[in-house]
Amino acid sequence: MTKPISKYRDLSLAPVPGGTVVVAADSCASTGRKPGDTLSCDPYHCGRVSARVVLFELMCIGAQVLIVADGVCSEMKPTGAEIIRGFQDELTLAGLSPDCLTGSTEENFPTSMTGVGTAAVGYLSEPFVPPQCHPGDVVVCVGTPLVGLAFLDNTDAAIATYAHLKTLLDASDVRELVPVGSRGIAWETEIVAGLHHLHPRFDPACSLDLHQSGGPSTCVLAIMRPACFRRLSKQLPLQKVADLNAMY
């Protein structure tokens, strides 16, 4: 009997012989040079940020990235070619081959807005077991929440990187990694705490905007033991967001 597909956060997980297939998806629209676009920028950036979101989703769960698919809602030339170039460059930055990219462009109808739908397929070489977080763990953030022009205009901002993810994934006492989405750090913290039947007590000393959209995964939450936070703070730009307490 086929085992059912399950959901964990924004991911879909399908058990297969020998492991688990993991699928992440994202959309990006109105970001380019077309007349209907809200954010005017090179469509290349649309490709970069679209790839980044799904790559962070898969990597944060520890999945090996197999395939990335771009559904470009624009013509191949000139818009689609620039979006695809952005995807390829982001894959290279993540240490992956651009050959894992597939996709399509819109050649039947003219479009007045730039857009792309993205899906990424990853693989876990074992059945998925949800992470376990405990009272006394801390929620910390690597990176700064940025979106739109704030992201494009702050190329030197301390955003989360693939190197940061590798360091966090290699630490055995990091319980879970959560890319911050459009609803912000506070919302993601509440959700991950609830998944583990815990309650967050937010740190008043945290200087991050807890309600700002994380845009293209510019920051990532990590749940870890306090001793791990003290150790990794010497290597990474971490900020404590909250303590996790038992629900009463």
Side-chain angles (χ1 to χ4, degrees), residues 109-127:
F109 303 102
T111 58
S112 59
M113 179 188 292
T114 305
V116 59
T118 307
V121 180
Y123 179 71
L124 294 169
S125 58
E126 56 190 12

Side-chain angles (χ1 to χ4, degrees), residues 82-130:
E82 281 299 288
I83 291 175
I84 292 168
R85 185 169 68 89
F87 269 89
Q88 292 171 333
D89 283 358
E90 190 67 24
L91 287 166
T92 300
L93 186 64
L96 300 167
S97 171
D99 291 339
C100 73
L101 180 66
T102 186
S104 179
T105 57
E106 176 55 70
E107 305 302 336
N108 291 304
F109 303 102
T111 58
S112 59
M113 179 188 292
T114 305
V116 59
T118 307
V121 180
Y123 179 71
L124 294 169
S125 58
E126 56 190 12
F128 173 70
V129 177

Side-chain angles (χ1 to χ4, degrees), residues 192-203:
V192 73
L195 282 174
H196 301 285
H197 308 290
L198 300 170
H199 174 71
R201 180 172 60 83
F202 289 95
D203 188 340

